[in-house]
Amino acid sequence: MTPAVVGRRTLIGASLAAVALAGTMTGPAHAAPRPNARRVRLGVNYTPSTRWFHMWQDFREDDLRRDLDDIAVLGLDHIRLMLLWSEFQPEPRLISGEKLDRLARFFELADAAGLDVDVTTFNGHISARYWTPNWLQVQPKPVNWFTDKQAIVAQQDFLRALAARIGTHPRFLGFDLSNEPYYYWDNFAGLGVTPAQADAWYTTLVRTAAEVAPGRLHTVGCDHVPWNANGAKGFGRAALATEGSVTAVHPWTSFQGVLKTDPLGALATRNAERLTQVVQAYGAADRLTWIQEDGAAPSLHFSDQSRPQYGEWLKRSIRNAASSDHFFGFTWWCSHDVSEQLVPALNPLEYDLGLYTNDRKLKPAGAALKELVAEFDRTPPPVAARSTGIVIPDANPRSGEDTFYRLANEGTHAAFVLESRSSDKAYLQARGITTLVRP
């Protein structure tokens, strides 16, 4: 069925021949991702300095260009970009051609700045704000877009429409399906999505992403919740570690309170590394892992005494995570502080997480990350040998946490091994593990 164009919007028929959308495809057909020589990619989550995530409604190219130049000056090589799903797909069969045009134009701006772009798509939750389209917000209860068949078809349609516009662009890294979506279904909508239902949603959509944009990195962004839980919470760990092409995790070490007291201790500087190793215990021996978010607000997460150590904490944390094998990269949160005048009533930490201030002045975190980028370019971070494996119960990966930090303080880089895999000699050999430690 041929889509009908209404103004700058595209009305898609039920079968969704989504490739015939308003505007022209960006980039050559079947263009490969632009090669990058770095073993560990370093980037940042993009928070626009002047219009925040409302950039899609009020698209100001000069502002965006300046922001992207700020990021490029630091030597970073990629950004994670948040779409507002409500703006792009205001009805299940209506996808905005205007917003697709703006996204295609944004890729041109990113290309000019030398930045690759990861596109986060179905954003029910960003920075404790909830952005789902109105067609999901029905009475007496919101549509469960993780289980409702028509809602899932609409999401697949949206992925096809996006891929038709930017899926072959050489700067396109891949689709991140959603940002920590369990906060939406638990804290906002009360949908009661089970881990099995979440896994089915993820599996269906990440396979759609691979179908419409093959050869790219497709994932779903999750914080520590699925990985620190005793049992399954949010998503099942097996699905996150096997479906898609990379497992993305957001450690948010700063939320543990340790940066106020001991920002250079093992708990602070090795938490991202620990979570990377936990993730890798659940996947194949060569599964890619990505620290897709981490950050801290100096005004809130540090004390007056510890704040001068922010930059050193940042460097050590990234260095330690980067010592992991099969590690895609580290993507800091975030590029620019949020304007409190523009966006009132956010959690206060959201106003102080940037590498730059809201008026684009470089902050100490930005200076430290720039120094680390230069260091990694001079001397790429080596992969640490991890011959020691800490055996953990399949259902409770956090049980090995204390042992991991103790070994780190003794100078040992350890991995984690699931109890169910601890007797698999071929698997242990593939990971280079020769000694097992049981907490």
Side-chain angles (χ1 to χ4, degrees):
M1 183 180 295
T2 303
V5 177
V6 182
R8 294 297 298 159
R9 298 193 172 186
T10 305
L11 185 61
I12 316 275
S15 63
L16 195 78
V19 295
L21 292 165
T24 57
M25 181 178 291
T26 301
H30 308 296
R34 193 176 297 276
N36 188 288
R38 287 176 172 164
R39 183 184 81 78
V40 173
R41 304 289 299 270
L42 294 173
V44 70
N45 288 266
Y46 177 44
T47 47
S49 65
T50 61
R51 289 298 177 268
W52 197 42
F53 300 125
H54 303 296
M55 61 173 277
W56 301 111
Q57 297 103 310
D58 191 6
F59 197 77
R60 302 190 176 195
E61 284 195 15
D62 288 343
D63 293 349
L64 300 175
R65 187 180 293 107
R66 284 191 290 266
D67 288 350
L68 295 174
D69 286 344
D70 288 343
I71 295 167
V73 163
L74 303 182
L76 302 175
D77 58 56
H78 71 276
I79 61 171
R80 180 172 175 234
L81 176 68
M82 299 291 175
L83 303 188
L84 289 193
W85 184 15
S86 54
E87 292 297 314
F88 279 79
Q89 194 176 22
E91 297 293 343
R93 292 170 57 194
L94 180 63
I95 296 173
S96 170
E98 176 188 54
K99 300 306 185 292
L100 292 174
D101 287 344
R102 289 179 176 181
L103 178 60
R105 178 58 183 154
F106 184 88
F107 266 76
E108 294 175 9
L109 299 176
D111 188 27
L115 296 167
D116 292 339
V117 183
D118 173 66
V119 177
T120 305
T121 310
F122 304 108
N123 283 315
H125 164 267
I126 319 172
S127 300
R129 287 279 186 94
Y130 300 96
W131 307 89
T132 47
N134 284 339
W135 52 271
L136 294 171
Q137 306 307 323
V138 298
Q139 295 296 331
K141 191 174 182 179
V143 174
N144 188 333
W145 46 279
F146 303 94
T147 60
D148 183 88
K149 291 182 179 179
Q150 291 183 336
I152 290 173
V153 168
Q155 292 168 78
Q156 292 175 305
D157 291 347
F158 186 32
L159 288 174
R160 292 186 183 101
L162 290 170
R165 295 305 306 278
I166 51 115
T168 58
H169 196 289
R171 289 293 181 186
F172 176 56
L173 282 177
F175 290 123
D176 173 13
L177 295 177
S178 189
N179 181 64
E180 301 170 1
Y182 32 82
Y183 290 116
Y184 171 83
W185 73 61
D186 279 348
N187 297 352
F188 178 72
L191 297 179
V193 178
T194 68
Q197 291 170 332
D199 291 352
W201 171 83
Y202 175 49
T203 299
T204 297
L205 289 183
V206 82
R207 291 180 181 181
T208 299
E211 174 191 334
V212 300
R216 309 295 168 132
L217 295 177
H218 303 305
T219 189
V220 62
C222 295
D223 65 2
H224 58 84
V225 163
W227 303 105
N228 281 342
N230 186 352
K233 187 171 183 180
F235 291 89
R237 288 180 281 266
L240 293 177
T242 56
E243 293 292 342
S245 43
V246 61
T247 303
V249 64
H250 310 164
W252 283 106
T253 303
S254 55
F255 291 178
Q256 300 185 34
V258 68
L259 300 182
K260 289 181 180 290
T261 57
D262 189 17
L264 302 185
L267 182 59
T269 62
R270 292 188 177 271
N271 183 52
E273 176 193 8
R274 176 188 69 85
L275 278 170
T276 299
Q277 293 304 313
V278 168
V279 169
Q280 293 185 348
Y282 285 84
D286 59 352
R287 173 73 173 191
L288 270 181
T289 306
W290 178 7
I291 300 294
Q292 195 188 46
E293 287 184 22
D294 207 4
S299 60
L300 295 176
H301 292 136
F302 290 82
S303 64
D304 291 342
Q305 291 73 31
S306 68
R307 193 169 296 115
Q309 296 173 310
Y310 186 129
E312 186 59 27
W313 164 71
L314 177 155
K315 291 179 182 178
R316 292 190 189 186
S317 181
I318 297 176
R319 285 192 199 109
N320 288 331
S323 72
S324 302
D325 203 358
H326 310 295
F327 185 74
F328 170 73
F330 208 114
T331 310
W332 200 253
W333 186 285
C334 56
S335 65
H336 296 79
D337 288 344
V338 181
S339 166
E340 190 168 4
Q341 289 184 326
L342 177 70
V343 190
L346 287 177
N347 186 319
L349 68 88
E350 301 288 349
Y351 302 115
D352 193 25
L353 290 169
L355 300 175
Y356 288 89
T357 63
N358 180 250
D359 56 356
R360 303 179 49 248
K361 293 182 175 62
L362 187 65
K363 296 168 64 176
L369 188 54
K370 182 178 182 179
E371 291 172 1
L372 188 68
V373 170
E375 173 190 315
F376 278 17
D377 282 345
R378 289 192 305 271
T379 307
V383 173
R386 296 180 188 269
S387 59
T388 298
I390 303 168
V391 180
I392 54 175
D394 291 39
N396 187 16
R398 200 161 190 177
S399 66
E401 181 176 9
D402 291 344
T403 303
F404 181 87
Y405 291 130
R406 175 178 59 78
L407 290 172
N409 282 328
E410 295 171 0
T412 298
H413 292 272
F416 290 101
V417 177
L418 300 183
E419 180 66 50
S420 61
R421 289 175 156 180
S422 61
S423 59
D424 186 337
K425 293 181 180 180
Y427 169 77
L428 297 176
Q429 184 177 15
R431 295 189 66 192
I433 296 171
T434 58
T435 302
L436 295 179
V437 175
R438 298 179 183 273

